[in-house]
Amino acid sequence: MENKFHKVMIDDIEQETEPWLIEGMVCPWLTLLSGQPKHGKTILAGHIATALVNNEPLLGKSVKAGDHQIAWMGYDGGWKDEIVSRLKSRANNKIATYAPIRTIDENLWREFALSLKEDGTTLFILDHLYGMAGTIGLNDANNFAILANLLRPIYEEYKIPVLVLAQAGKGEYSNGRAAHSVALEGEARCLLRLYEKRSHGYRKLDISSNSNGEERLAIRLTPEVIEVKESKEKAPREVVGRETIEIAKNLLSNQEVKDELNSWSGAGRALAKLGHSRNAGAGRSMAIRLREQGFLKEDGGRIVRGDSLLSMSA
């Protein structure tokens, strides 16, 4: 009886290494670029597109050599005028715009994917996911799966890399992470997060992927300029050691700073006073990390033991 399932023994698989479009930054499958509104997602996508069509490095990263053709589909009002004004002088007639598809008809999306393949498209930019979703609620994993199933054939079957732009979650500490991020980030193979927007175009860019690890860049990003402003550094991984636990305990037990523990800023000042951070600002960041690790929490206007610390005392 013929096996109707596609079974291949792992020893028989010849591994193929797919080259990235931009080294460690834009993968051959789905790349997710997220950030809060007006943080420069479209601007960064534009620099990615023009780097490819001009075969120029981006942020010191090499691009895959070739005759790149970019397809761009936008959903915001005025999006086409925006990218034309920014990119036309450097587009080399290799960036095509497409009217937004506002349907979840799988056949239409497959027809679109085939059209991209026939046109020699090497990157499809979708700006942005929530416009594509329309009235579909992305909090529901089943609803997100509908959209994922529309995009997946583009990069899996037709081998056209996809760059999807998405809004970051609300809140000061989202660090550019996409809203509804569990399913969304799980689908992507590379994550780009823009956050901490400052004056003159300065902001942070985090890059994360399974194959290239994590990287954090401080960049200057404007429609005309993209450049690294500081030496790149590996994004710190959260390591919970004995020293971290002792810092939280010392903060909570030291009577000299107990009056400070009425806010996260106060906790930051207390950590600085105790010598655990170089200043109050760095102390506040440390307090937030302790909160994220479960060692601190806010209760009734006071900073108290978090659930992780309570469980250790139990």
Side-chain angles (χ1 to χ4, degrees):
M1 180 178 176
E2 183 180 353
N3 191 335
K4 63 180 180 180
F5 302 106
H6 185 62
K7 173 185 174 182
V8 181
M9 300 305 293
I10 193 169
D11 292 347
D12 298 329
I13 297 175
E14 293 185 8
Q15 188 172 1
E16 297 180 1
T17 302
E18 294 281 352
W20 285 48
L21 287 188
I22 298 180
E23 174 195 3
M25 187 171 177
V26 180
C27 75
W29 308 281
L30 177 65
T31 300
L32 176 66
L33 167 55
S34 60
Q36 292 187 353
K38 312 305 179 187
H39 269 55
K41 297 185 296 296
T42 301
I43 294 175
L44 178 54
H47 282 293
I48 288 171
T50 55
L52 288 169
V53 300
N54 289 285
N55 282 277
E56 296 175 346
L58 185 73
L59 297 174
K61 301 176 181 296
S62 62
V63 305
K64 178 185 176 183
D67 181 19
H68 290 288
Q69 305 287 329
I70 312 298
W72 194 308
M73 181 180 291
Y75 284 86
D76 285 337
W79 70 273
K80 193 173 295 186
D81 291 339
E82 180 182 350
I83 68 165
V84 167
S85 65
R86 291 176 179 172
L87 307 183
K88 190 172 184 179
S89 64
R90 303 194 68 240
N92 289 339
N93 204 31
K94 294 182 178 181
I95 302 177
T97 62
Y98 288 83
I101 300 176
R102 301 184 185 277
T103 176
I104 57 174
D105 182 342
E106 289 190 22
N107 291 327
L108 181 59
W109 278 93
R110 280 188 170 273
E111 184 180 340
F112 174 63
L114 178 58
S115 174
L116 294 180
K117 188 68 175 180
E118 291 174 344
D119 288 343
T121 303
T122 56
L123 177 66
F124 171 48
I125 299 175
L126 190 141
D127 182 9
H128 51 83
L129 182 71
Y130 305 114
M132 176 189 178
T135 58
I136 295 177
L138 291 180
N139 281 317
D140 187 318
N142 292 329
N143 285 339
F144 172 76
I146 294 172
L147 302 186
N149 288 336
L150 299 178
L151 294 175
R152 196 175 291 119
I154 299 176
Y155 57 86
E156 284 194 349
E157 296 179 29
Y158 293 94
K159 306 300 181 182
I160 301 170
V162 177
L163 174 65
V164 172
L165 279 58
Q167 303 288 11
K170 295 180 179 179
E172 182 181 353
Y173 305 107
S174 71
N175 282 357
R177 188 172 185 180
H180 321 293
S181 60
V182 174
L184 181 54
E185 293 190 344
E187 185 70 23
R189 296 290 296 275
C190 182
L191 307 175
L192 309 176
R193 297 172 181 158
L194 283 170
Y195 62 102
E196 286 189 16
K197 179 182 177 183
R198 305 294 173 86
S199 59
H200 307 295
Y202 298 129
R203 66 210 67 200
K204 295 288 180 64
L205 171 64
D206 279 1
I207 306 172
S208 178
S209 69
N210 290 338
S211 55
N212 291 283
E214 299 178 6
E215 187 177 12
R216 177 165 297 159
L217 300 176
I219 65 172
R220 181 174 176 235
L221 177 64
T222 71
E224 299 78 27
V225 176
I226 180 169
E227 59 185 2
V228 178
K229 295 305 295 180
E230 296 177 6
S231 298
K232 57 188 178 182
E233 58 180 283
K234 291 293 180 180
R237 296 183 180 273
E238 292 295 340
V239 179
V240 179
R242 191 68 208 170
E243 182 180 356
T244 306
I245 299 169
E246 292 304 320
I247 288 172
K249 288 182 176 179
N250 187 24
L251 174 69
L252 295 169
S253 62
N254 196 298
Q255 294 299 308
E256 294 181 8
V257 297
K258 66 177 183 179
D259 293 336
E260 301 278 7
L261 302 185
N262 52 12
S263 68
W264 294 108
S265 295
R269 291 191 297 271
L271 286 166
K273 287 181 180 179
L274 294 173
H276 295 306
S277 64
R278 64 182 180 275
N279 55 45
R284 186 177 189 278
S285 298
M286 179 182 288
I288 296 301
R289 288 197 297 273
L290 291 170
R291 181 187 68 183
E292 293 171 348
Q293 293 171 337
F295 296 125
L296 299 177
K297 67 180 180 181
E298 187 173 4
D299 184 18
R302 297 287 299 171
I303 307 303
V304 299
R305 286 175 175 251
D307 295 338
S308 295
L309 210 54
L310 287 170
S311 65
M312 292 178 184
S313 302

